[in-house]
Amino acid sequence: MKYKKIVCVVIDSFGIGQATDTKEFDDVGADTFGHILEYRPDLKIDNLYQLGLGNLHSSGKALQSKGYACKMHEASCSKDTMTGHWEMMGIHTTKPFKTFTENGFPDELVQELERLTGHVFIGNKSASGTEILDELAMEEIQSGGKKLILYTSADSVLQICGHEEVTGLDELYRVCQIAREITLKPEYKVGRVIARPYVGDSVGHFTRTSNRHDYALSPSSKTVLDVLKSHSLDVISIGKISDIFNGQGITKSIHSTSSHEGMLQTIEEMKKDFTGLLFTNLVD
């Protein structure tokens, strides 16, 4: 065996320049790293620069690299978190998951969700997770948890917000499990149903908590994770990796409350004696 430990860290939503298919996803001009440097040209990321990050962008610090640096374009027909992570582990998704970005979810789906859960759903549109709380959280709180916030994004997701003290975590998770069952139907098949708990009591003071839970589809075929596990090797997941793969191929799962904690957990696990893959997603 050439390597005993391999560590893969995914920094979500940190693209370097636009991909070749940006027009298909209304992403022309996308360049997260470049745009950050426009506002923070002296960004203190020396370790990433030493690994070669600055060599990949004209605005970055080009240094003699301690590692190999390259840019990759996703082959799968999607821009979703799940298909991207699946592709890293060997799955080429040719048929994208359903998205409901333009008009929200169909009335039939919402009505079935209301009938099975006993809740009324408000929102039902594509929105920022923080902005929709400022818009609708007070209405949910004033309903005593009878109403829940339903929204989506450009990803293939159905997200439900519930106040931890008004709705309660157990109830929010129950509702999301029902939503996951409904959205297994082909016409509604989203990649993930996400429980989005929050706290706060007034507009401008609502905060999403670390008790988020993703209900994902199982990978469409075996992944590298499954192969490693079947050969009795360690597959340690940090952050939402286990959720993204629906637990398949994982031997140890560690929950993170922030990217900072995720990196501390990664460093701690690296010090331990294991043989296999340490796979981290920075949840922020």
Side-chain angles (χ1 to χ4, degrees):
M1 182 181 296
K2 190 172 182 180
Y3 302 105
K4 181 179 180 183
K5 298 178 180 178
I6 295 175
V7 181
C8 179
V9 180
V10 177
I11 307 175
D12 255 347
S13 301
F14 191 65
I16 303 175
Q18 66 180 28
T20 54
D21 58 356
T22 50
K23 288 184 179 180
E24 297 178 27
F25 299 100
D26 195 26
D27 274 348
V28 173
D31 182 10
T32 304
F33 184 40
H35 295 321
I36 289 171
L37 290 177
E38 289 175 12
Y39 290 91
R40 295 286 186 272
D42 297 323
L43 193 65
K44 298 185 185 304
I45 48 173
D46 290 346
N47 289 324
L48 290 176
Y49 279 140
Q50 288 174 24
L51 289 172
L53 178 64
N55 299 334
L56 300 179
H57 198 284
S58 59
S59 299
K61 294 180 182 178
L63 303 174
Q64 184 64 39
S65 175
K66 293 181 179 179
Y68 294 101
C70 62
K71 290 192 284 189
M72 296 187 293
H73 291 286
E74 190 172 345
S76 295
C77 298
S78 174
K79 59 176 280 184
D80 186 84
T81 291
M82 200 162 69
T83 52
H85 282 77
W86 286 7
E87 185 170 314
M88 289 181 223
M89 295 298 124
I91 295 178
H92 180 198
T93 302
T94 57
K95 184 178 181 181
F97 297 118
K98 291 280 188 180
T99 57
F100 297 91
T101 310
E102 291 187 8
N103 302 307
F105 298 101
D107 291 341
E108 295 80 7
L109 187 158
V110 177
Q111 289 166 6
E112 185 173 4
L113 190 56
E114 290 182 338
R115 179 178 64 83
L116 292 175
T117 64
H119 288 275
V120 174
F121 289 88
I122 55 178
N124 189 23
K125 61 183 179 180
S126 178
S128 154
T130 52
E131 290 175 358
I132 203 162
L133 287 180
D134 281 341
E135 179 186 348
L136 295 173
M138 287 307 303
E139 183 177 346
E140 180 194 323
I141 292 170
Q142 290 166 1
S143 76
K146 177 68 174 177
K147 295 180 180 179
L148 292 175
I149 301 168
L150 173 69
Y151 73 107
T152 187
S153 70
D155 281 1
S156 178
V157 292
L158 183 154
Q159 305 187 77
I160 300 176
C161 298
H163 196 287
E164 286 200 2
E165 297 167 5
V166 178
T167 302
L169 283 175
D170 289 344
E171 178 62 9
L172 179 61
Y173 294 160
R174 181 189 74 86
V175 169
C176 287
Q177 287 168 346
I178 292 171
R180 176 71 279 180
E181 289 299 316
I182 296 172
T183 54
L184 291 177
K185 297 178 180 178
E187 63 268 32
Y188 306 141
K189 202 166 189 178
V190 294
R192 288 175 295 155
V193 171
I194 305 177
R196 289 283 196 180
Y198 68 95
V199 293
D201 58 9
S202 62
V203 174
H205 296 90
F206 296 116
T207 306
R208 297 191 295 185
T209 77
S210 62
N211 291 316
R212 158 189 173 157
H213 187 74
D214 293 35
Y215 299 84
L217 297 172
S218 294
S220 55
S221 62
K222 282 189 176 181
T223 70
V224 171
L225 309 184
D226 296 307
V227 174
L228 291 171
K229 184 177 180 180
S230 69
H231 285 78
S232 300
L233 295 170
D234 297 299
V235 181
I236 303 166
S237 75
I238 294 178
K240 64 181 182 181
I241 294 295
S242 184
D243 285 346
I244 291 169
F245 289 88
N246 205 20
Q248 285 191 199
I250 307 295
T251 61
K252 180 180 179 180
S253 176
I254 301 170
H255 175 70
S256 299
T257 61
S258 67
S259 291
H260 179 73
E261 183 183 29
M263 281 310 303
L264 293 177
Q265 292 166 328
T266 300
I267 293 167
E268 189 62 31
E269 289 300 312
M270 287 171 64
K271 296 176 183 177
K272 298 178 182 179
D273 184 24
F274 73 89
T275 302
L277 173 67
L278 175 57
F279 197 180
T280 297
N281 176 283
L282 299 181
V283 296
D284 295 337

